[in-house]
Amino acid sequence: MSERDKVLGHADEADGIEEYDNPLPTWWLGLFAGTVAFGIGYAVDYHFVSKRSQAGEYAAELAAAPKAPEATAVAATPDAIAAGKEIYTANCVACHGPDLHGGVGPDLTDATWIHGGKLDEIAHIITVGVPEKGMLTWGPILGPQKVGQVAAYVHSAGGGQ
Ligand code: HEC
């Protein structure tokens, strides 16, 4: 009887059904052992040698991702204020009114501010918006320079601190 035809010999318990005990082919077992060895090596390398982790990769991706443009240095020059007035007229009148006294959006000429009345605070809230209240995230639409100009205009219009 060859190795291939070895019978397990429990036919008497199984209504005469015989079962062969055929070993798995050597190439298959080799492949299996190889994947196990690779898996152990990979895990050791991942955790202890290269010190990689999902949390680390996530943090690295976040750090590399482009940030929403922020208006950093806002200079309230007369030119910027004049340019800002045009940007305001084109984009903001519908909600804040032609004379900035408000409507759907709050009055921008009084001393009451929800998000702060300093120039950089105004620029910041225009950049990030308040989407849940209907104030758009203008940063990506206008870009930092125009946000800076319109912020300078709003700030100059009376209520800025
Ligand atoms: C679709 C309506 C809408 C448009 C258009 C809009 N806003 Fe607003 N804006 C709002 C609303 C509503 C708020 C109040 C958000 C809140 O309650 O937090 C707001 C808040 C603000 C604030 C903060 C006010 C505060 O009291 O802190 C500033 C500054 C502002 N908007 C500037 C602008 C500028 C500049 C534009 C044009 C580029 C603009 N908004 C366009 C609706 C609008």
Side-chain angles (χ1 to χ4, degrees), residues 36-88:
V36 171
F38 177 82
I40 293 170
Y42 186 81
V44 168
D45 174 64
Y46 188 94
H47 292 289
F48 305 111
V49 182
S50 306
K51 293 204 183 347
R52 291 161 62 196
S53 74
Q54 290 190 344
E57 280 176 32
Y58 178 68
E61 268 183 41
L62 271 193
K67 307 269 179 302
E70 273 279 344
T72 37
V74 187
T77 61
D79 279 356
I81 292 169
K85 186 173 169 44
E86 283 174 28
I87 297 160
Y88 181 89

Side-chain angles (χ1 to χ4, degrees), residues 87-88 91-96 104-108 110 112-117 121-123 125-126 130 132-136 138 142 150-151 154:
I87 297 160
Y88 181 89
N91 300 287
C92 322
V93 171
C95 296
H96 293 284
V104 178
D107 189 337
L108 300 174
D110 60 13
T112 310
W113 293 92
I114 307 167
H115 304 280
E121 291 170 326
I122 294 173
I125 202 65
I126 295 169
V130 192
E132 67 275 17
K133 300 276 180 60
M135 169 68 182
L136 291 187
W138 291 98
L142 298 176
V150 76
V154 169

